[in-house]
Amino acid sequence: MKIFIDPPNSLILFDLVERFGHEPLSVMATIQERVDNLEIDMPPMNVTLTDVKNGLKYAGIEVPSGIRGRLAVWGPLIDQAEAAIIMEDAPYSFGCVGCHRTNLLVDFLVRKRKLPTIEIDYPRTEEDARNMVIRVKEFLEGLK
Amino acid sequence: MIKIAQLSCGTEYSGVQYEIEKASRAVGAKMVYPDVEASQIDRSIRDFGFNPVSPQLKLMIARAVHLAEGRYDADAVFIATCFRCAEGALVRNELRRYIQEHTDLPVVTYSFTERMKANQLLTRMEALVTIVSRKELLARERQIGITAGIDSGSTTTKAVVMVDNKIVGKAWTGSGEVLESAQTTLNEALAEAGLKMSDLEAIGTTGYGRFTIGKQMNAKLVQEELTTNSKGAVWLADRQRGEATILDIGGMDNKAITVRDGIPDNFTMGGICAGASGRFLEIVSRRLKVEVTELGALADQGDWRKINMNSYCSVFGIQDLVTSLAEGNTRADVAAAACHSVAEQIYEQQLQEIDVRDPVIQVGGTSLISGMVYAVGEILGKAPIVPPDSQFIGAVGGALLSSGFLEG
């Protein structure tokens, strides 16, 4: 199944999803695709004016352009997700999209789709980390 | 190459990063991004004292702290965040103050939308580069020889001829075809001075048409208006030493520039909404059936408090005007309200992006509208200085700075 991970650039969540046999919907591939595009218009990420306009599907015109541009990148990932993992309170070094308002909206858009979703807290201890991996594993295996 | 450190949030996701880099390349500069170790971000946030939630804003702060601590070398700073982002606006303004307090680097701030194009940034980038690379030229306080300055503005074209630090000829006309308007005003200024084109030893051009005119007239100086206007303003006001704030409410955009010893160190240039421009005053004049030159005297007789006019948009502003007249208010009250509305918006939108330093020198064509000067003074709580020939600042700055090339 296609699993949306949040933060959408978390390498750890990406790895867990892949290990347990699902397809992680992460921002890395999406960004890579844009950066590799030979007809790159807007380096470094090739987010163009059209993309920012497309972001209007997820947030209104009064929302700052940086949020709409980000949503143009991962909004479509949320649309195609069949399940999701949301990690709360993750430090920015774990994975982030740079903008807290975008984080809030991404969480909301995932929840709004009422997909099978597991919400986990960022583990602060080794034991919590082990428990987190066990919970994610059970969730992912349950999806099969 | 001049290195401009970029402290920003959202540029790459708004599709404007390329435009920023394009603008910097066009003026011979390079955008650079101060390297910060991840482990240093939290320490920088603690030192700075403002902890935004958005990680990209945390990175902006860490980059600024690294610049202030001399851990990264740059010549100027460009600070930008998304338009309408409150958290971004707070960080942008506080970082601008922080950089000014802790470094000598010139700073410009910008609030962008996805529609921002490189040409909107060109003047700002050019001014940053000039401040860094032409310090000697900017330090010039006296005009020498026989020189002319031409200011090709959006509404009017002005020309000044100077000889040995004195204005000997000046003229202005409504801007039409760029070259023709420039040549006409220059000819008039030369005629007043009793000189010929061939007598001129140097020409300086500024304003929107500066490149075209500069090329045609073989100008020694082709310079954006932030630099020329501030030099012209301090020369005209005889405030070449110490600090000052130059306020220029133009036909299409407004400039607020802080200077130290006549050299700009921070500026803001706005032009998103016509309701806060000289253009709005022109429209108001037409509707009130007075010449724009008479609008100030009319406004002096009125009371802005009787009318609610404070729209950012000139169209809605005119709606307020029509409604006010229909309700029986006097033309004088409407004129006063229009001046107050422009002054209020400049205070809200632009003067918040710089730290206003006394004295405020109000210049440009709108400084001839007495009601406008009164309104600015009322809002700032202190009367601005309006130097003689205040509408000729750009042309005077052009003539003054171009004479710097005569000494080799």
Side-chain angles (χ1 to χ4, degrees):
Chain A
M1 287 174 77
K2 292 179 175 177
I3 317 289
F4 183 80
I5 57 173
D6 185 5
N9 56 350
S10 162
L11 294 173
I12 291 175
L13 292 181
F14 184 98
D15 182 59
L16 282 174
V17 171
E18 220 174 30
R19 262 172 209 260
F20 295 110
H22 293 282
E23 180 188 343
L25 291 172
S26 80
V27 78
M28 280 77 86
T30 311
I31 295 284
Q32 185 69 43
E33 201 176 295
R34 287 168 180 273
V35 172
D36 287 349
N37 187 338
L38 289 176
E39 292 181 20
I40 193 159
D41 290 324
M42 282 288 165
M45 290 187 175
N46 214 19
V47 172
T48 63
L49 178 59
T50 308
D51 287 322
V52 184
K53 281 186 195 164
N54 291 342
L56 285 169
K57 178 181 172 188
Y58 307 98
I61 191 69
E62 72 277 13
V63 173
S65 54
I67 297 181
R68 282 181 282 128
R70 285 175 170 95
L71 286 166
V73 176
W74 33 89
L77 300 179
I78 298 172
D79 292 343
Q80 55 178 294
E82 295 167 297
I85 302 172
I86 298 175
M87 179 175 277
E88 295 282 4
D89 298 327
Y92 54 80
S93 53
F94 181 82
C96 75
V97 299
C99 167
H100 183 62
R101 294 342 177 251
T102 311
N103 284 339
L104 294 174
L105 194 56
V106 165
D107 288 356
F108 173 72
L109 290 172
V110 172
R111 289 179 188 128
K112 203 167 125 184
R113 285 208 54 208
K114 300 196 183 306
L115 302 166
T117 302
I118 181 172
E119 301 207 21
I120 48 179
D121 290 328
Y122 177 77
R124 309 268 166 196
T125 65
E126 204 174 318
E127 193 187 341
D128 284 349
R130 255 196 298 273
N131 288 336
M132 184 271 282
V133 172
I134 291 166
R135 283 188 64 202
V136 169
K137 177 175 179 281
E138 284 172 0
F139 171 73
L140 291 169
E141 286 175 346
L143 294 173
K144 283 179 182 171
Chain B
M1 184 174 276
I2 306 292
K3 290 191 285 185
I4 304 174
Q6 181 177 327
L7 312 179
S8 64
C9 179
T11 54
E12 64 277 47
Y13 286 106
S14 297
V16 299
Q17 182 58 40
Y18 176 73
E19 299 292 333
I20 294 170
E21 290 178 14
K22 190 174 162 189
S24 68
R25 278 197 304 274
V27 296
K30 182 185 177 192
M31 301 309 296
V32 294
Y33 316 94
D35 302 321
V36 175
E37 287 174 33
S39 61
Q40 291 294 310
I41 295 177
D42 290 337
R43 195 270 302 169
S44 300
I45 297 291
R46 272 196 305 278
D47 289 355
F48 184 69
F50 187 123
N51 188 6
V53 191
S54 294
Q56 189 74 31
L57 295 174
K58 291 179 195 283
L59 180 60
M60 272 176 79
I61 292 171
R63 285 178 161 161
V65 170
H66 271 50
L67 279 173
E69 290 175 347
R71 290 158 171 253
Y72 193 87
D73 185 34
D75 303 302
V77 184
F78 176 72
I79 307 176
T81 58
C82 292
F83 180 56
R84 297 195 189 102
C85 175
E87 192 183 29
L90 289 171
V91 172
R92 188 178 72 238
N93 276 325
E94 293 312 320
L95 279 188
R96 191 257 308 154
R97 287 200 179 96
Y98 176 83
I99 292 286
Q100 285 194 302
E101 279 169 20
H102 292 83
T103 76
D104 292 328
L105 302 173
V107 188
V108 64
T109 59
Y110 199 82
S111 158
F112 58 83
T113 71
E114 69 273 26
R115 293 181 185 276
M116 185 198 78
K117 293 292 171 207
N119 58 8
Q120 290 166 263
L121 289 178
L122 265 184
T123 301
R124 294 167 176 85
M125 293 286 187
E126 195 183 342
L128 273 185
V129 169
T130 302
I131 294 166
V132 175
S133 64
R134 288 186 154 177
K135 280 199 171 126
E136 265 181 50
L137 186 69
L138 289 178
R140 169 156 295 277
E141 294 178 0
R142 282 184 63 79
Q143 183 272 347
I144 56 164
I146 305 172
T147 63
I150 300 169
D151 179 3
S152 173
S154 64
T155 310
T156 57
T157 300
K158 285 81 65 179
V160 155
V161 176
M162 293 179 77
V163 177
D164 296 337
N165 211 35
K166 285 198 179 73
I167 297 173
V168 292
K170 60 196 176 196
W172 70 274
T173 185
S175 291
E177 198 274 316
V178 168
L179 281 174
E180 190 187 322
S181 304
Q183 194 63 63
T184 304
T185 47
L186 182 57
N187 289 346
E188 284 177 24
L190 282 166
E192 188 181 310
L195 295 167
K196 299 188 298 294
M197 190 80 181
S198 56
D199 294 325
L200 293 174
E201 295 172 272
I203 295 176
T205 63
T206 189
Y208 286 98
R210 63 186 180 277
F211 294 110
T212 309
I213 300 165
K215 193 174 171 193
Q216 176 73 19
M217 296 193 179
N218 199 22
K220 288 204 188 300
L221 177 91
V222 177
Q223 192 67 55
E224 39 64 41
E225 51 271 31
L226 288 161
T227 305
T228 50
N229 289 11
S230 46
K231 287 306 290 183
V234 294
W235 186 89
L236 284 166
D238 196 18
R239 296 275 177 164
Q240 308 227 43
R241 292 279 140 186
E243 297 190 321
T245 303
I246 321 286
L247 180 61
D248 179 4
I249 304 168
M252 254 171 54
D253 50 42
N254 307 319
K255 300 151 202 96
I257 310 159
T258 53
V259 293
R260 187 171 286 133
D261 293 337
I263 298 178
D265 59 2
N266 186 209
F267 51 83
T268 165
M269 188 175 166
I272 294 176
C273 304
S277 71
R279 189 75 74 196
F280 178 62
L281 297 175
E282 271 192 349
I283 302 169
V284 168
S285 301
R286 274 206 297 278
R287 184 62 185 79
L288 294 179
K289 298 194 185 307
V290 290
E291 289 296 317
V292 70
T293 49
E294 297 162 15
L295 185 71
L298 185 62
D300 289 342
Q301 300 160 31
D303 181 358
W304 62 268
R305 291 170 190 81
K306 292 181 181 170
I307 291 166
N308 180 24
M309 188 188 294
N310 58 4
S311 175
Y312 287 166
C313 167
S314 65
V315 175
F316 292 140
I318 294 300
Q319 276 183 2
D320 289 342
L321 182 156
V322 171
T323 311
S324 306
L325 288 173
E327 285 169 353
N329 288 292
T330 67
R331 288 158 71 243
D333 288 342
V334 171
C339 291
H340 185 82
S341 169
V342 171
E344 192 173 44
Q345 287 175 56
I346 285 164
Y347 178 71
E348 289 171 3
Q349 291 182 47
Q350 289 197 274
L351 296 182
Q352 303 306 315
E353 295 203 357
I354 59 165
D355 289 320
V356 176
R357 300 174 192 155
D358 289 335
V360 174
I361 306 172
Q362 192 171 341
V363 290
T366 52
S367 65
L368 303 178
I369 300 171
S370 53
M372 195 63 242
V373 179
Y374 177 78
V376 168
E378 197 176 25
I379 281 174
L380 290 179
K382 51 205 155 195
I385 295 170
V386 180
D389 295 323
S390 59
Q391 73 275 39
F392 288 104
I393 35 150
V396 168
L400 170 68
L401 291 175
S402 64
S403 78
F405 292 95
L406 301 181
E407 288 180 331

